[in-house]
Amino acid sequence: MAVAPVEFVTDPALTLQLLAWTLAGASLGSLSGLVPGLHANNFALLLAGIAASVPGPPLFVGCAMLAAGVVHTFLNAVPAMALGVPDAEMAVTALPGHRLVLDGRGYEAIRLSALGSILAVLVAIPLAIPVTRAVTAFYPTIRAHLPLVLAMVVVALVASEYTWRARFGGVLSFTLAAALGVLTLDLSPDAPLEAGGMLAPLFAGLFGAPVLIDAVFGSGIPPQRDGTIELPRWLVGATALAGALAGAVVGYIPGISAAIAAVAVLVLVPGNAGDRGYIVATSGVDTANTIFALFALVAIGQPRTGVMVAFENVNAPLELPILLGAVLLAGVCGFVLVIVVGERYLELVGRMAYWKISTAVLGLLLVLSYLFTGPLGIVVFVVAAAIGMVPVRLRARRVHLMGVLIGPLILSG
């Protein structure tokens, strides 16, 4: 059978427009990623609110939305590492990125995050179709038994702790966070911004405030050494690959976060990856989830992330070759930006009075909580911050606080 030749036609004007829109979206995603406490879901809801009013061809606006979402997952690691670094005495309970910063390895942590994200882009694009087919084949079974699946995840997370004190802390943290989620997640308070949702005060309180509170009494960022990556190349690649594949799972199973997936990845990946592997895995999961969500929209017609909601709001056509080109370009932009901006971000923060920065960021989180959820958001933020201190003081992983989402899902069955 004769095969007709495939002819690729390029339009310079079309290419330039696509490039301009993608770069504009990448710029927006970089700015949003550098704002401490601006959760990806709230950023996506903001995009969804303005998407329909953005003038331009729907395909190009959709490319900009995707690019913004991808770059946001690269840059949001920078404030997570640079801001809220506690005192060295609290390093054992600090986030993995913070521990590396406290050890003078902040530049390495930023580069590991950048590698995890860009490798996830390079892996997720060619694997998206077969992985999406596999996940969609099993999804009905998973969805039918979702409470059981999530309960098994919770048990595995608690069992993965190294001490009985930490296991108790994990159970207590999960229980309190789950109760808070049951009481608040379905609330729809009046707020100045329509892109509301209780995730802003909940996540800022549970995960941001405790680190910042400890950082107020800390000694700030110590001098940072060179950014040489100490993790073997094969382990970086294997962890990023596993993280990228886990990103598909995160996109399909409600309540499973990048942090939870990263813990599972490190159990499955051979070698002693430690904090460095956790950073690579989490970044990979976060970025890959954005890409797999696009294919999930194509496969089952449902937007699985806030960015995909924004994408749908502009009625953008599902022209996968063009959209994937925008994603790849955004990934390259995000990789360069996170290294260049991230290292300077650390240097700038290191020269400033750290207690002032931590106090200012706490104030910013309060403001964001108010903007997204009104006065009620302030109350929720304070309660969430108190619960967020539980795993810190009991030396358990903070990932148990994801009970705020998992608990309500298990109960709703």
Side-chain angles (χ1 to χ4, degrees), residues 150-206:
L150 293 177
M152 291 172 62
V153 169
V154 174
V155 171
L157 287 174
V158 172
S160 68
E161 294 286 3
Y162 293 106
T163 66
W164 283 106
R165 177 185 180 183
R167 293 183 189 122
F168 170 74
V171 172
L172 182 60
S173 301
F174 176 86
T175 303
L176 293 174
L180 182 62
V182 169
L183 293 173
T184 62
L185 275 178
D186 290 334
L187 299 177
S188 300
D190 293 328
L193 294 180
E194 292 184 2
M198 298 305 297
L199 286 180
L202 284 172
F203 275 71
L206 290 170

Side-chain angles (χ1 to χ4, degrees), residues 57 113 216 249 265 292 308 315 325 354 404:
S113 176
V216 169
V249 177
V265 165
F292 283 116
M308 287 299 103
N315 296 315
Y354 208 75
V404 72

Side-chain angles (χ1 to χ4, degrees), residues 45-46 49 189 191-197 371-372:
L45 288 170
L46 285 173
L193 294 180
E194 292 184 2
L371 290 176
F372 286 124

Side-chain angles (χ1 to χ4, degrees), residues 332-413:
V332 174
C333 291
F335 178 76
V336 174
L337 284 170
V338 74
I339 293 176
V340 174
V341 175
E343 294 188 0
R344 284 159 178 76
Y345 204 103
L346 273 179
E347 293 173 1
L348 177 63
V349 171
R351 292 196 295 266
M352 301 174 69
Y354 208 75
W355 71 269
K356 293 181 179 179
I357 299 175
S358 301
T359 303
V361 176
L362 274 171
L364 176 61
L365 295 182
L366 281 169
V367 170
L368 288 173
S369 298
Y370 173 78
L371 290 176
F372 286 124
T373 50
L376 178 62
I378 302 296
V379 177
V380 172
F381 173 83
V382 173
V383 174
I387 294 175
M389 297 299 292
V390 173
V392 177
R393 296 298 177 251
L394 293 177
R395 298 181 180 271
R397 294 193 187 101
R398 300 168 195 261
V399 71
H400 302 290
L401 296 171
M402 283 304 297
V404 72
L405 297 181
I406 298 177
L409 285 169
I410 291 177
L411 293 177
S412 64

Side-chain angles (χ1 to χ4, degrees), residues 273-298:
D275 288 344
R276 291 172 172 84
Y278 185 90
I279 293 170
V280 174
T282 306
S283 300
V285 172
D286 202 17
T287 302
N289 182 32
T290 303
I291 299 169
F292 283 116
L294 171 62
F295 282 82
L297 182 62
V298 175

Side-chain angles (χ1 to χ4, degrees), residues 233-249:
R233 291 182 180 179
W234 72 269
L235 193 50
V236 172
T239 308
L241 172 61
L245 295 177
V249 177

Side-chain angles (χ1 to χ4, degrees), residues 131-150:
V131 170
T132 299
R133 285 177 177 171
V135 174
T136 51
F138 290 102
Y139 180 72
T141 303
I142 295 174
R143 190 67 185 88
H145 302 88
L146 184 60
L148 178 61
V149 172
L150 293 177

